Every structure is written in structure tokens, then in C-alpha cells.
Amino acid sequence: MEASGSGDRAAVSLQLGRNPRPFSVAARCPYGKPSVIENEPSRSMPTRFWITCPSLATGISRLEAAGGVREAQEELGTEPIEETHAEHQRLYGNRVAGIRDGGYVKCLHAFTALHLAKGGVPNPVAEWTLERLQSPYPESCCTTLDTE
């Protein structure tokens, strides 16, 4: 996990539209900006890893809106989802925010953030998601305004 500096804090503030709680950068986009953060462990945060890149988050949201959660569940089944959840619990001591009891996907964002994070948990839900995105990051420019 990479410590966040003032430039990262400013970038994540722009990406989220608010001041973030304490975090570390868990993954960067091809332009060097934070794309996934690891939240400081606390009860008030619903997930350990959070996608901050607007382009990546929007792409996943579109996929979810088009029935992606259901499709991923049907194609992958419950066993690999439960395995990912068990590994997350082993490493971090809490649930994956994107899972319902019984190995059911409820959020593609959470699984993808977990997968992209340095030291995270590679998982089939994120692989499925990333395969379906035309381009997770824009090719021409970063969608986060320059903060440096």
C-alpha cells in the first residue's frame, strides 16, 4: 500500500467530489493518478478498497446498469465468489462489500477495486468485469483534472 501525498489527496478529492477520509493509494491509472484507494480500516466505511477514477467507475456503473451483476453471477456461479470472499476475510478480517450471503454478487465495483489494488485479491468477478469494459481508462487523457 502506497502512502498518499498532498497531490494524491487533491486528486482523490476531485474524483470523489468531497474530502476523503484517511486512505492510501492502492492502484494508479496509466496517467499516474489514484484509481483505487484503500480506506483506513474503520466501521464507518462500507468497503476496504474503493474505485476513485471517474472513467473506471462510470464504465463499471454502465455495465451494472445493463444487467452485469446478474450476468456475472450466472456465468461464474457462487463458488468462486465465496472463495474470493474467504480470501478477503483471511487478509482483511471483514466482508467484501460487493457480496451477499451465499456467494452472490451485489457490486462489480467492489470486486474490481479489490482485484486492481496492489496486494489485493485477484478474482474472477473483476476479470469478468474488466473483459467487458471497452477501455477501463481513456486513451487520450486523464479524466481527473491536473492537481499538481
Side-chain angles (χ1 to χ4, degrees):
M1 185 166 64
E2 192 174 319
S4 59
S6 62
D8 289 339
R9 186 160 195 70
V12 171
S13 292
L14 282 169
Q15 291 170 332
L16 298 177
R18 62 175 170 77
N19 286 324
R21 293 182 181 210
F23 70 92
S24 294
V25 175
R28 292 184 181 277
C29 74
Y31 301 99
K33 299 291 185 192
S35 64
V36 176
I37 60 171
E38 182 174 359
N39 291 302
E40 179 180 69
S42 74
R43 290 185 144 172
S44 61
M45 293 303 298
T47 186
R48 181 88 175 217
F49 298 100
W50 193 266
I51 292 175
T52 60
C53 171
S55 178
L56 182 58
T58 298
I60 295 170
S61 292
R62 286 185 183 130
L63 186 57
E64 283 184 346
V69 170
R70 179 186 43 76
E71 287 179 42
Q73 185 70 56
E74 288 173 0
E75 287 185 37
L76 299 171
T78 59
E79 188 174 327
I81 295 160
E82 279 295 330
E83 289 170 3
T84 301
H85 170 61
E87 181 65 5
H88 186 280
Q89 274 194 312
R90 184 184 74 72
L91 291 171
Y92 304 110
N94 59 3
R95 297 186 56 75
V96 176
I99 191 171
R100 288 184 296 171
D101 288 335
Y104 292 95
V105 176
K106 71 177 188 181
C107 176
L108 301 177
H109 294 82
F111 280 94
T112 304
L114 175 62
H115 180 84
L116 293 174
K118 184 176 182 179
V121 179
N123 67 81
V125 176
E127 291 168 359
W128 183 95
T129 301
L130 292 169
E131 285 175 8
R132 280 149 185 82
L133 295 178
Q134 288 182 0
S135 178
Y137 302 103
E139 293 178 20
S140 60
C141 66
C142 182
T143 55
T144 300
L145 299 174
D146 193 10
T147 57
E148 307 207 22

